[in-house]
Each structure stands twice: as C-alpha cells, then as structure tokens.
Amino acid sequence: METMSGYQHGQGRGAANAAALQHLRTAWYLDHGHRDLAGRGLAVGRACLDAFAAQSVLRLVEEGHRVVVATHNTHIRMTVIEHEGDLGLFPQCYHLAQALGDGYVSIAATGSSGRTAVTQVTPDHPLGVESLDNPFPPLTDD
C-alpha cells in the first residue's frame, strides 16, 4: 500500500489510499501490541502502538478536529515508563503532551462500582492474554 501511494494520489484516490493505509497500520500495530502483551512478540510492541495512536490523534488535530481520547491509565501517562529494557517506553499521552503543549489536557477517571477489568497473561488462552473481572480492594477510611 505504501508503494502505491503516489500512484493512487495521481489517480485521484490519495485520500482513500491514505485512509486504507491508516487502517492497515492500525491492525498491524494492534497485532504487535497484543503479541508483546502475550510475551510472543517484539518487546517494543506497546511503545510502537502508543506512538502510532498519538500520531493518529495528531493527524486528526491537524485536520482541524477536536479529539477526546479514552485510554487505559498506562497510556494516559505523560511521563516515560521506567523499566529495565534498552528502549524508552513513551506512552501515547507523553507524545501528545510533547506535541500539543498547553493545547493538551489529560483527565483521569476511575470507576466506583467496586469492580474493574484486569488483563492477565494466560499462555493457554488463544490470544495469550485474557481480561478478567476483578474486585477493587476495600476502600481506606480516608
């Protein structure tokens, strides 16, 4: 698809080709991210997915759209994730904050029903991971 971009643009299908390429990249990065989470892929799968997600939002902003991003708390972080690996793990909102400066606002929300979903690596599961219903720990007095 990338090698055909110039041709498609010349045929008047540049926007359609760009949209199709964006969808293809989305599927590719999601696959890498899930493989990484399951311990079966590149150790940078999640970092690549975060960078791609930020680029997708920035593309929409450049087109004049206002965007609300709903994402997991790991991805909403605006600081580098500390870890033992060789490469930096820069969450999606780190990239957005760097690019948009004061034009970016991060708002976190929590659930109040006493339960949340957690993802657990499960080698026997077909996807290598599964989401489980999990109770919150009891609230503290203060």
Side-chain angles (χ1 to χ4, degrees), residues 1-125:
M1 297 231 7
E2 289 175 338
T3 63
M4 295 295 291
S5 294
Y7 173 78
Q8 295 294 348
H9 182 73
Q11 299 296 310
R13 296 187 295 257
N17 184 76
L21 186 56
Q22 179 76 3
H23 292 303
L24 180 60
R25 283 186 177 134
T26 300
W28 185 54
Y29 280 117
L30 281 170
D31 179 65
H32 276 292
H34 286 125
R35 288 173 192 259
D36 175 25
L37 190 61
R40 297 180 179 160
L42 300 173
V44 295
R46 302 302 299 174
C48 292
L49 184 58
D50 277 325
F52 174 74
Q55 291 167 1
S56 298
V57 169
L58 293 171
R59 188 174 357 261
L60 292 170
V61 170
E62 288 171 6
E63 293 173 359
H65 300 282
R66 294 183 71 176
V67 181
V68 174
V69 176
T71 189
H72 184 271
N73 60 352
T74 301
H75 309 285
I76 201 171
R77 288 178 56 151
M78 296 187 334
T79 58
V80 178
I81 297 172
E82 299 294 330
H83 69 107
E84 297 292 325
D86 294 331
L87 302 171
L89 294 179
F90 302 97
Q92 176 184 4
C93 294
Y94 171 87
H95 296 289
L96 294 174
Q98 294 296 310
L100 299 173
D102 291 339
Y104 173 76
V105 177
S106 178
I107 302 170
T110 60
S112 61
S113 67
R115 306 191 75 70
T116 189
V118 295
T119 303
Q120 170 180 299
V121 174
T122 310
D124 294 336
H125 192 276

